[in-house]
Amino acid sequence: MKLSANEEYGLRCLVRLGYEGEGGSLTIPEISHAEGVSPALAAKILRVLRKAGFVKAARGKEGGYALARPPEAIVIGEVMEVLGGRLFESSFCDTHSGQAAICTRSVDCSVRSLWRAVQVAVDQVLSKATLRDLLQNEEEMNSWVRAISDRSGLRLLQ
Amino acid sequence: MKLSANEEYGLRCLVRLGYEGEGGSLTIPEISHAEGVSPALAAKILRVLRKAGFVKAARGKEGGYALARPPEAIVIGEVMEVLGGRLFESSFCDTHSGQAAICTRSVDCSVRSLWRAVQVAVDQVLSKATLRDLLQNEEEMNSWVRAISDRSGLRLLQ
DNA sequence: GCTAATCTGTACTTCTTAGTCAAGATTACC
DNA sequence: GGTAATCTTGACTAAGAAGTACAGATTAGC
Ligand code: FES
Ligand code: FES
């Protein structure tokens, strides 16, 4: 249960593109330099984001990457799912059952119930955040988190 | 951001030991068979749980594993941290900064603020759950989740 | 002491994720 | 058309996680 490199770098590349504003674009070398990631890796990750429809690419000279939609239409939860999958995939209990065909408690499993609860807790945050929210500075982002906390009853700032 | 095999199997082994009740114990082959995991892998994972102080082992004939403390004193959040680390480790922003020594926005990073919020959301669930809760059946566990939901304002059952 | 059942530790193989590389395709500009 | 800047693709290598194997140490019972 760790954040993956794909998730971290992918989201940062997306935020970087968001900074460019409507109509703005950046090349791979520019993104690479801005985020301190190698050009090859940036290219690999941007490709994933492109195939998922979050960014669009222009080839050739004067080419580059740009957001495919306005920042407020890019939900972070969806981005994270593309970059690193879900915490508790629906297939999880099938693939992690060891040698048995399925978890030996699968008809009545309290562990599964817990995983679901954790997944929902994560979704509560990520499905409410859009790229627009991440384009603010850290202090404003903290305010956003505080607002979500109040609305949902969660205390997300410890 | 996926559950790891260590987390899944480790927690299941712990639950299985919990079923044995006070003073009960199980051998590696017994746990292995009950959970459908190979004996070698069960041994490897139980070793981690032992070093972290959640279970204790007795060697020799008549040996086996048992819980080191009562189930209500075993917090799932602590178990998960041992088995799979934290979602957003404190060192994360240092180790995932690419070639730069640090995230280029590290003095003011909205992404970091989001990761923290997700981490707290997860902790809200996992720090409230103990092994005792997981020894119930799935329906009772769902009630537990519902109770946590009401108390915290979260809606964890969708 | 001997044996059989058990945990312990380390090394090994296999699979997935992270990251790199190079050749190819596309486009703006001259 | 030529050139240089750009994205595209697949293959490659490196590192980490998942899973296996086996020799060693410990203990109960005889
Ligand atoms: S059914 Fe998935 S852990 Fe039991
Ligand atoms: S400081 Fe960690 S993502 Fe920016």
Side-chain angles (χ1 to χ4, degrees), chain B residues 52-72:
Chain B
F54 296 116
V55 302
K56 61 190 173 192
R59 289 161 74 145
K61 202 168 180 181
E62 306 292 301
Y65 276 97
L67 294 184
R69 335 173 196 159
E72 57 272 21

Side-chain angles (χ1 to χ4, degrees), chain A residues 85-108:
Chain A
R86 313 253 306 160
L87 186 61
F88 180 59
E89 310 264 3
S90 55
S91 63
F92 188 83
C93 288
D94 301 334
T95 53
H96 288 78
S97 48
Q99 295 158 332
I102 196 169
C103 165
T104 49
R105 280 185 294 278
S106 68
V107 289
D108 176 24

